[in-house]
Amino acid sequence: MRTNSFFKLEDEFLNSNEDNFDLFLNKLSEIQGNKNKSQSPKVPIIDFNYDAELSKFALAFDGEDSEKVLDNFQAVFNGSIRPHSTYSLFNMVPTPLLDAVAATTLTQLYNVNSLMDDFGGQLLLTEQQISRGVGKLVGWNEAVGISCNGGKLTLLYAIKLAIAKLVPNSNKKGVPSNLVVLTNESSHYCVEHVCSILGIGSEQCVRVPAQKDWQMDYQQLEEIVTLQVSKGKQIAAVICCGGTTINFAHDDIDKAYTVVTKTLEALGEKYVPHFHLDSVIGWLWFNFKIAGSNLETTEKSIQSKINQVVQRQAGLSKFDSFGVDFHKNGLCPYSTSFFITKSKEAFTALNDGSYEYSDEDYQYGKFRAYRYTIENSRPAMGISAAYITLKRLGISGFQNYLIELHEMSLHFKNEMKKEDKLTVINDYSLGWELVFLIDFHILIEETKHNEGIIAQGFINYCWNKCNQGEMVPLISFVPAYKVHAESVEQVAYLLYPINLASRNEATEIIDSLKGVIADFEQDVLTGNYELSEKAIEKPIR
Ligand SMILES: *Cc1c(COP(=O)(O)O)cnc(C)c1O
């Protein structure tokens, strides 16, 4: 065998007897080293241009030694958010449970492929145990599921399954052109893209306007169903909102189900669409459906918010599937999502139309997931992460986690109330995010710029500081925020508490925010910082 001076087998791979496991741990600590011990919310980064960087890049002929490569590896994290910083308040980016990271790391070390159980072993059973367990929280005693890379894929599985159920021969013959998908106007922006990927077309995703509290307007839902049927369309799927990052849009899913099915029935339609709850965030509330809730000792306002969500989820027994993002509010690393559906008939419906799963498939050594999954070779880290987290926290642990997120949010809100310049405006949201205004009236008067330009200037100012690795709160902004569906749009800011450790530092964090605001005002007034009229792209939600 030809060797490269940097490449000795015995050093670079885990030995079969694993007696060099420490070597792996050494490599891990070598990468981490003494670097990156900053507490700032972002790893510092210097601005760059992709084309300029790429034009300089080519692969080297010679390999380099481990130490050098690992030493330089840290640079790839430049500019990334550090979720373990208590000043990371940007979005629902959690700091994962160390047990979950340890488990996923080991899963990679053993290089588990979850395409089928002959490769992935019991991890495929674990995947189904997680799905069954979470399904049972909502009374689905036959639930099965698919571990996948992100909430977007949970929607992809839902709509794919919807098409297959409505048009069984579509798996072989292709997708007919008269299918539509209905969803709440507040649903995630990726639903259109999912429809596009699946060949339905993004324009066949029909958004139902929301009523005041961001639930679908059920009257309009009925009108849309009637209109679509009159146009010869078939409603393949109804995707209900099960909690969103901002305003926590959550449909009353029993109502949505009843309106759609009753309207279709009255029109003489013989099918029932696939009902999916996009509960990638809202799944956390499922933990309260079970007896023995930790709510009693909680602040009344929190109890009431949690109970309202639980009530809106009451119709889940009639639904067909839902999604879970353990990497959002389940303390798991990316990507740990599950598509969960009521029965294993889905495995047949999701394949290419040439295989029918039977009892024989459920014997160890026979279970082949690749027939119904999007990937062939498939990572297993999500299965490990979700399993560990569910075991570590238990149902009561997740209840407490949600309660503590709400408590942290209340605590931040109280700290913000003490500041004249800050006004929290989303009291009414059922989530724990904080949307607030900053009073820049002095700057507006002095500079004659409108509020939007000032806000954009401020957020850029704040983000620049974060990109330089400064210890200032990493918050976000909502250029066209509406408290209620019919409210006027206003420029607002978002503070998203997600790391429970931020709670103890709320006073310092809000103080620091005040400091950035004051610096910004001063720098604009003295001409040290120039405001740009150019609109920056809206942050994603
Ligand atoms: C985040 C999110 C998604 C997309 O999930 P990814 O994990 O980013 O793929 C879909 N729906 C809702 C409601 C979300 O919050």
Side-chain angles (χ1 to χ4, degrees):
M1 181 182 173
R2 264 179 241 271
T3 54
N4 171 318
S5 54
F6 299 114
F7 200 75
K8 279 194 257 114
L9 269 181
E10 62 273 26
D11 285 351
E12 302 300 334
F13 303 103
L14 188 65
N15 285 347
S16 54
N17 57 2
E18 301 186 22
D19 61 352
N20 65 341
F21 186 79
D22 285 347
L23 187 67
F24 165 70
L25 293 178
N26 287 343
K27 285 179 186 284
L28 201 58
S29 53
E30 222 165 89
I31 294 185
Q32 183 63 353
N34 285 320
K35 288 163 285 196
N36 225 352
K37 294 274 166 69
S38 149
Q39 295 177 12
S40 64
K42 268 196 134 185
V43 183
I45 184 151
I46 298 163
D47 200 28
F48 64 84
N49 175 274
Y50 283 89
D51 287 329
E53 291 301 316
L54 291 175
S55 65
K56 291 185 282 192
F57 189 81
L59 297 175
F61 185 72
D62 289 321
E64 293 172 303
D65 66 30
S66 170
E67 210 169 287
K68 190 166 173 203
V69 171
L70 295 182
D71 198 47
N72 292 334
F73 179 69
Q74 278 285 341
V76 304
F77 298 127
N78 291 351
S80 59
I81 294 178
R82 297 177 66 250
H84 36 298
S85 165
T86 49
Y87 281 57
S88 283
L89 301 151
F90 186 74
N91 207 321
M92 212 182 300
V93 181
T95 169
L97 211 62
L98 288 181
D99 289 334
V101 177
T104 54
T105 307
L106 204 64
T107 307
Q108 287 197 298
L109 193 62
Y110 292 153
N111 204 17
V112 182
N113 185 347
S114 63
L115 90 167
M116 58 191 284
D117 62 2
D118 249 350
F119 285 66
Q122 205 162 309
L123 263 156
L124 281 99
L125 174 63
T126 308
E127 178 182 23
Q128 295 313 322
Q129 286 170 328
I130 293 164
S131 308
R132 185 66 54 94
V134 178
K136 278 186 179 173
L137 291 179
V138 301
W140 293 3
N141 292 328
E142 303 285 315
V144 297
I146 305 174
S147 158
C148 58
N149 287 301
K152 186 174 182 176
L153 292 192
T154 66
L155 288 160
L156 190 109
Y157 278 119
I159 298 175
K160 172 73 195 139
L161 182 54
I163 300 168
K165 278 167 47 191
L166 185 61
V167 192
N169 74 0
S170 68
N171 288 23
K172 282 188 175 167
K173 304 289 180 196
V175 182
S177 59
N178 68 334
L179 303 184
V180 290
V181 169
L182 308 187
T183 196
N184 186 323
E185 73 165 279
S186 317
S187 288
H188 198 264
Y189 59 84
C190 73
V191 184
E192 276 80 1
H193 192 205
V194 169
C195 289
S196 165
I197 293 169
L198 287 170
I200 294 183
S202 54
E203 286 181 4
Q204 308 310 319
C205 173
V206 181
R207 297 234 168 201
V208 180
Q211 52 176 300
K212 184 179 174 191
D213 64 359
W214 300 105
Q215 296 186 48
M216 281 187 210
D217 181 323
Y218 303 106
Q219 180 62 40
Q220 297 211 46
L221 175 62
E222 185 182 329
E223 286 163 20
I224 287 172
V225 171
T226 308
L227 178 69
Q228 293 302 327
V229 170
S230 76
K231 288 203 242 172
K233 303 283 187 181
Q234 284 199 298
I235 298 157
V238 179
I239 310 286
C240 282
C241 262
T244 50
T245 328
I246 297 182
N247 287 335
F248 205 85
H250 199 306
D251 293 312
D252 180 324
I253 62 179
D254 193 56
K255 257 191 203 149
Y257 180 89
T258 308
V259 167
V260 172
T261 51
K262 287 267 180 300
T263 309
L264 285 174
E265 201 183 298
L267 294 167
E269 296 293 317
K270 296 278 181 290
Y271 67 97
V272 176
H274 183 96
F275 283 85
H276 176 80
L277 182 65
D278 186 5
S279 55
V280 293
I281 298 175
W283 76 275
L284 191 50
W285 282 253
F286 296 172
N287 289 286
F288 287 94
K289 283 190 175 299
I290 210 127
S293 129
N294 283 335
L295 266 184
E296 287 73 25
T297 57
T298 317
E299 179 93 23
K300 282 274 177 300
S301 65
I302 297 176
Q303 274 186 25
S304 152
K305 286 188 179 197
I306 292 176
N307 282 331
Q308 282 183 65
V309 175
V310 173
Q311 276 162 23
R312 290 194 200 173
Q313 294 177 336
L316 251 179
S317 59
K318 298 171 184 164
F319 268 49
D320 302 291
S321 60
F322 62 78
V324 179
D325 272 2
F326 290 104
H327 59 236
K328 286 228 174 86
N329 52 7
L331 296 166
C332 286
Y334 298 113
S335 284
T336 306
S337 296
F338 273 72
F339 167 73
I340 295 176
T341 181
K342 238 177 189 166
S343 90
K344 61 186 179 192
E345 281 159 34
F347 294 152
T348 296
L350 283 170
N351 71 51
D352 68 4
S354 59
Y355 190 81
E356 196 155 328
Y357 279 81
S358 70
D359 290 347
E360 276 179 32
D361 290 289
Y362 299 96
Q363 200 57 42
Y364 173 71
K366 298 264 171 61
F367 192 69
R368 293 162 179 245
Y370 60 79
R371 293 195 182 97
Y372 59 79
T373 55
I374 289 158
E375 309 95 329
N376 191 63
S377 288
R378 194 168 62 118
M381 284 91 74
I383 303 172
S384 302
Y387 181 70
I388 287 278
T389 313
L390 289 165
K391 293 286 273 186
R392 281 285 278 121
L393 273 80
I395 293 170
S396 66
F398 280 114
Q399 291 179 349
N400 283 334
Y401 178 47
L402 179 58
I403 290 168
E404 283 176 29
L405 286 169
H406 271 294
E407 287 175 350
M408 172 163 64
S409 168
L410 264 186
H411 186 63
F412 266 100
K413 196 196 285 187
N414 289 335
E415 289 298 315
M416 292 166 90
K417 272 195 186 140
K418 296 178 193 161
E419 305 299 334
D420 294 338
K421 273 185 185 291
L422 309 179
T423 314
V424 175
I425 54 171
N426 72 330
D427 295 289
Y428 135 104
S429 171
L430 297 177
W432 68 89
E433 80 283 5
L434 293 166
V435 179
F436 63 102
L437 307 177
I438 303 178
D439 180 0
F440 279 126
H441 80 272
I442 296 176
L443 271 192
I444 295 171
E445 280 161 26
E446 294 285 328
T447 64
K448 309 285 180 235
H449 278 300
N450 70 31
E451 205 185 350
I453 300 294
I454 306 266
Q456 196 172 287
F458 172 69
I459 211 74
N460 266 329
Y461 184 86
C462 186
W463 289 348
N464 284 343
K465 281 184 182 290
C466 291
N467 282 338
Q468 285 159 23
E470 281 190 46
M471 189 68 179
V472 300
L474 177 57
I475 57 164
S476 189
F477 87 133
V478 201
Y481 179 70
K482 293 201 282 183
V483 179
H484 297 295
E486 76 274 23
S487 308
V488 285
E489 291 183 349
Q490 51 189 334
V491 179
Y493 303 85
L494 174 70
L495 186 148
Y496 208 102
I498 182 75
N499 178 347
L500 292 178
S502 298
R503 187 184 194 279
N504 297 332
E505 288 172 43
T507 316
E508 292 86 338
I509 290 169
I510 299 305
D511 249 9
S512 169
L513 178 60
K514 233 169 68 183
V516 186
I517 295 170
D519 291 348
F520 169 70
E521 288 181 320
Q522 171 134 31
D523 281 349
V524 171
L525 290 175
T526 56
N528 278 339
Y529 185 75
E530 215 160 297
L531 295 171
S532 160
E533 296 275 345
K534 217 172 114 203
I536 57 177
E537 194 171 348
K538 270 192 203 175
I540 58 151
R541 293 279 114 79

